[in-house]
Structure formats: C-alpha cells, structure tokens
Amino acid sequence: MKPVNKLLPSLILTLLMLTGLAYAASLLPTADTAETGAGEPGGVVVEVDNLRNARGNVVVLVFDAADAYARFDYTRAVAVDVLPAKQGSVRVAFPELDRGPYAVVLYHDEDGDYELAMDGENPIEGYGVSGSRDAYHEPSFDEAAIAPGLVTVSVFYLP
Amino acid sequence: MDWLFTELEASALFAWEETLSNGFYVFSLAFLVFEFLRYRFRRQLTWLLTGDTLTNIVTQLMFAAVTFVLLATFYLSTLAYFHEFAVFDISISWATVGIAIVAADLAYYWEHRFCHRVALAWATHTVHHSSPHFNISVAYRFGPLDAFWPVLFHVPLVVLGFDPFVVGFAELFVLLYQTPLHTESIAKLPAPIEAVFNTPSHHRVHHGVNPQYIDSNYAGMLIIWDRMFGTFAEEREPVEFGITEPILSVNPLTVFCHGFVRLGRRMLATRGFWQKLRLSLMPPGRNPARLGSRATITHKGLA
C-alpha cells in the first residue's frame, strides 16, 4: 500500500523538475545549419553536390522558359556559369535572378570540353536537374521549377 | 561535440524512429527465438504459451490499426495545438532531444501510474498485463486505447516548449527501452544499473501479482522516479505474472477487449450515474456492490 500523502508533493516535485528540464533545454546553444540564400540578399544560389571528383568544370544553366528548358536550348538560358569542379560539392550564385520560376540544369564536364559527353542516348558525364529524384527522372519544367533562394541539385552518374 | 547542438529538422527524427523501431523489432524476434529455446530446455514450452505469444502479436496489429486510423492524428493535432502556448523556446538538437527523453520518462511514470490506478485507463492497460507468461512478445501486447492516455501527459511537455515531434520521438525511445526488459532470462544487473535504470528485474516486479509487488515500479527508463515517489519494490521472491483476475484465454479478441468488457460489467452492476462515474475514475480494484464501503478486491478475495 503506497502512502497516499506522498502523492501531492510528488506531483509538485514533478512539475518543478519538468520546468527545470525545459528551462535548461531552452538555454542550450544551437548551431544553425546552412541557411537559405547563404547571405545573398536575393537571387538563386545553387549548391551542386555528389560530385565524384575535381576534374574539369561544372556547367550550370538556368532556364526561365519551359520550351527552352524542354529542348535544352542553351542559347536561351537566362543564366549560365562555369566553375571548376571539386570533389563533393560546389556552390554558385546568380544574384540577379530574383523572379522565378527557374529550372536549373547542370553537368559535371569532366573532360573540359564544355559539352555533356554522350554515348548514343546516355550521358557519360554526370548531370543534374533541379527537382529530379534520380538518374532517370526527367522532370518537366513545372517539376523542376524553383523560386529564388538556395537550391541543392545532386549530380547523378550513370553506371 | 558540435553535432549535439546542431539544429535538426523535425523530419530527421522520423528516420531515426523508423530505424530504431525496426531494429528493436528484429532484435525482439531473435530474442524470442532464444527465449523459446530456453523454455524448451526447461520443459516449460506449452501450446498455451505459444498461443499466448501469437495472441500478443495479433493485439499489436489491432492496436496499430486503432492507433494509426484514429489516435495518431488526434495525438499530433492536440500536441500541435497546445504547443502554441509554449512557455520556453526550445530548439531541436540531439542535446535537447536528450533532455526531452528524461522529461518524457518522468511524464511516462505518471501516465503509467494513472493507467494502473484509474479504472477507465486500466481497461486498456490491463491487456498488456494480462498474460500469465513473461517473455519479449509480451512487450508487444497492447490494448485498444493504449495510445490515447499519453496525450494527457504530453500536453504539459509541449506547453513547456518541447516540440511535438521531439516528444513523440522521446516517447518512442522510452517505450523501446522497455522492450528488452520483458524477460525472465536476465537476472539482476550490476548494482549501479539496478539503482538508476529500469531493468528486467524491476519490470518483472511491476508485472507481478504478488501482494507486495502490486502497483509498483511504474518507471519507463529510470527507476529513480519510483524510488523518489515511494512506489518502488525490490525483487525478492519469484514473480507470479498476470492480473488479479486471470482471463484464461488466448483468443486475441477476448484478450484485447476484456478490460472494457469487465469495466462495462462493473458499471452495469453499479446503480446511479455518479456512482458509475466514480467507479471509472477510482482504482480498478473497487467492488461495485460495496462501493460505499471502500472494499477492494485483491487476489486473496475481498479485503
């Protein structure tokens, strides 16, 4: 038989302990993970990840027109940038792109010829599109569309 | 140690919940095989025991159906609502999740004690205790409304400022911790562990129907709450498992519903609306016919 007269002090002690725990938790420092925009006041920032080596370049194209995107008509891309590849990830900013929607298409130009090397129908070099789920997913413009801010695009390499 | 304080998305916890539950499930199946071999070796393996184990699995499926169809939404939306009134601003990191686990364990102690001492809650919790056996499959023996009562005890946590998803994760952690405690095959652990943590020994006592073991050791992960609040009992004599009025059935539906069926019968036998209400809120041992005399049923008969 538990003594009933211990119930109220136990409940009060419990509330005190819970409040103490919550207060302690609220005091803990928090290191924020990378914030969107990376400090850019506007525009599009593309974080390219899953790059397999540091050979060649990463060519990043941004389209704002669905038909230009669908045909990969790079002459009508609203922005293009080429940057040296790094193992893992690289980041490129387009501060002037502050309207949207945009679709981002990029490839890991390992051989440095600024073209996406193909073997018939299939790319030999790595490639990525905003909004793509996997190596075989070809998003429509709407699926790929992003607003200004930070977007992460993974590079896929066909085996 | 930076990773401890890095801000987490609530969704990161979902992946961990799944990993942990699946991991424990696989471990439990393997451990069950070991326990069955142990029963066999000790000539304790019977068809009734096997049937009881299968029943445990079925009750878990029924519980999962009730929970995911009805209660999960209720749980999350209630917590989300009360989180609007958060007193402290607590961000989500592994460090705050750790603190939340301790807080959830303390809340669990009271939720569990409530489920033993309030007849309406006991109606669902009795299912878990109703097996006369004690092996890891009993850890998965659930009652219909087992997922309901935690809400009451988690509202204070979200009002204090813990994120609902963090509280959900913490509760899962506290429950999973208790899974491997449901065994007769592990004797008392080294004294420092027995002093602080809930162990198979402490939990055997909790499931015991021996008079000195009844209504004790409510802890989830930390036994210190029972020691602090006067509900601790040490395992000394062999534990008799089950409930004071055994069901004597391995029919999963009988098992799953017996708590409410019995409460329903007791309420029907009680005259008067307020008497019925009192019955549902008082400890489960009350005899309806002698409500006024505060008589209680123990396994030795009326006392």
Side-chain angles (χ1 to χ4, degrees):
Chain A
M1 264 277 285
K2 55 163 175 58
V4 173
N5 59 9
K6 258 195 144 177
L7 184 57
L8 188 58
S10 302
L11 283 169
I12 295 172
L13 183 58
T14 297
L15 283 170
L16 287 173
M17 286 194 284
L18 286 177
T19 309
L21 286 168
Y23 177 63
S26 70
L27 292 178
L28 287 181
T30 311
D32 293 323
T33 50
E35 300 224 78
T36 58
E40 301 284 338
V44 171
V45 178
V46 182
E47 170 101 11
V48 185
D49 68 21
N50 202 36
L51 289 162
R52 67 182 172 193
N53 57 49
R55 293 210 294 266
N57 311 302
V58 180
V59 179
V60 181
L61 302 102
V62 185
F63 293 92
D64 64 352
D67 56 339
Y69 164 81
R71 291 196 216 107
F72 192 57
D73 185 355
Y74 56 87
T75 63
R76 291 178 53 206
V78 66
V80 180
D81 205 347
V82 178
L83 50 152
K86 278 204 286 262
Q87 167 100 30
S89 65
V90 297
R91 189 177 272 228
V92 56
F94 300 96
E96 73 282 9
L97 300 180
D98 53 3
R99 303 283 283 285
Y102 301 109
V104 179
V105 182
L106 51 88
Y107 51 94
H108 181 187
D109 175 32
E110 280 171 298
D111 60 6
D113 68 349
Y114 302 105
E115 306 266 296
L116 176 60
M118 305 286 277
D119 171 22
E121 287 275 317
N122 301 316
I124 311 178
E125 291 176 323
Y127 59 93
V129 182
S130 53
S132 68
R133 288 186 304 264
D134 54 51
Y136 303 97
H137 181 209
E138 293 178 70
S140 64
F141 184 81
D142 290 321
E143 285 173 311
I146 52 126
L150 177 68
V151 60
T152 304
V153 181
S154 295
V155 178
F156 295 111
Y157 299 89
L158 288 178
Chain B
M1 288 297 246
D2 264 353
W3 64 271
L4 262 181
F5 301 103
T6 307
E7 189 153 14
L8 293 173
E9 291 287 329
S11 50
L13 294 173
F14 291 150
W16 274 102
E17 283 185 2
E18 232 190 289
T19 309
L20 284 173
S21 338
N22 292 343
F24 269 85
Y25 210 68
V26 170
F27 164 80
S28 299
L29 286 173
F31 196 80
L32 186 64
V33 171
F34 156 71
E35 283 193 291
F36 263 62
L37 288 172
R38 183 176 171 273
Y39 281 135
R40 180 85 181 79
F41 181 71
R42 294 161 137 253
R43 297 167 196 262
Q44 291 170 327
L45 188 59
T46 61
W47 280 113
L48 271 179
L49 200 159
T50 311
D52 196 67
T53 297
L54 289 169
T55 298
N56 293 342
I57 297 170
V58 177
T59 63
Q60 193 207 7
L61 293 171
M62 293 192 281
F63 160 81
V66 172
T67 303
F68 289 115
V69 172
L70 283 178
L71 296 175
T73 317
F74 169 73
Y75 177 82
L76 283 172
S77 47
T78 307
L79 290 193
Y81 174 76
F82 281 99
H83 190 54
E84 298 288 313
F85 305 109
V87 172
F88 296 110
D89 181 19
I90 305 174
S91 57
I92 307 177
S93 65
W94 286 117
T96 60
V97 167
I99 295 182
I101 289 175
V102 176
D105 194 59
L106 179 50
Y108 179 84
Y109 168 88
W110 288 106
E111 188 240 327
H112 197 184
R113 188 163 158 179
F114 180 88
C115 284
H116 278 261
R117 300 298 295 162
V118 172
L120 189 56
W122 177 245
T124 182
H125 190 52
T126 179
V127 176
H128 178 68
H129 280 264
S130 58
S131 176
H133 311 290
F134 201 62
N135 53 62
I136 203 160
S137 71
V138 173
Y140 291 95
R141 188 176 175 112
F142 290 111
L145 295 187
D146 279 353
F148 173 77
W149 300 105
V151 179
L152 303 184
F153 296 84
H154 289 168
V155 165
L157 296 180
V158 298
V159 167
L160 279 172
F162 292 102
D163 184 277
F165 291 117
V166 171
V167 173
F169 177 87
E171 170 80 348
L172 179 69
F173 191 90
V174 169
L175 288 172
L176 288 177
Y177 174 91
Q178 296 176 66
T179 307
L181 304 183
H182 290 78
T183 182
E184 293 184 271
S185 65
I186 298 174
K188 285 191 184 178
L189 297 172
I193 302 178
E194 294 278 334
V196 174
F197 291 100
N198 197 4
T199 60
S201 169
H202 294 321
H203 206 55
R204 280 194 288 274
V205 163
H206 174 70
H207 273 260
V209 92
N210 318 43
Q212 71 275 35
Y213 293 161
I214 283 261
D215 289 343
S216 59
N217 296 4
Y218 296 114
M221 200 172 73
L222 300 168
I223 199 75
I224 52 181
W225 314 127
D226 286 283
R227 294 185 188 278
M228 245 190 246
F229 303 138
T231 53
F232 177 74
E234 182 77 48
E235 185 184 30
R236 292 194 206 284
E237 59 175 59
V239 178
E240 223 184 294
F241 297 102
I243 47 180
T244 53
E245 297 167 55
I247 337 175
L248 302 170
S249 169
V250 289
N251 179 326
L253 272 175
T254 310
V255 166
F256 199 60
C257 303
H258 85 271
F260 283 100
V261 167
R262 286 181 176 184
L263 180 63
R265 280 202 203 116
R266 289 199 168 125
M267 287 179 74
L268 282 173
T270 309
R271 299 223 176 280
F273 172 78
W274 292 109
Q275 299 301 326
K276 290 184 205 278
L277 190 63
R278 271 181 72 206
L279 181 75
S280 68
L281 297 176
M282 286 191 327
R286 292 284 187 264
N287 181 347
R290 304 189 38 178
L291 207 55
S293 70
R294 306 172 107 210
T296 33
I297 299 174
T298 67
H299 81 302
K300 286 188 183 151
L302 288 170

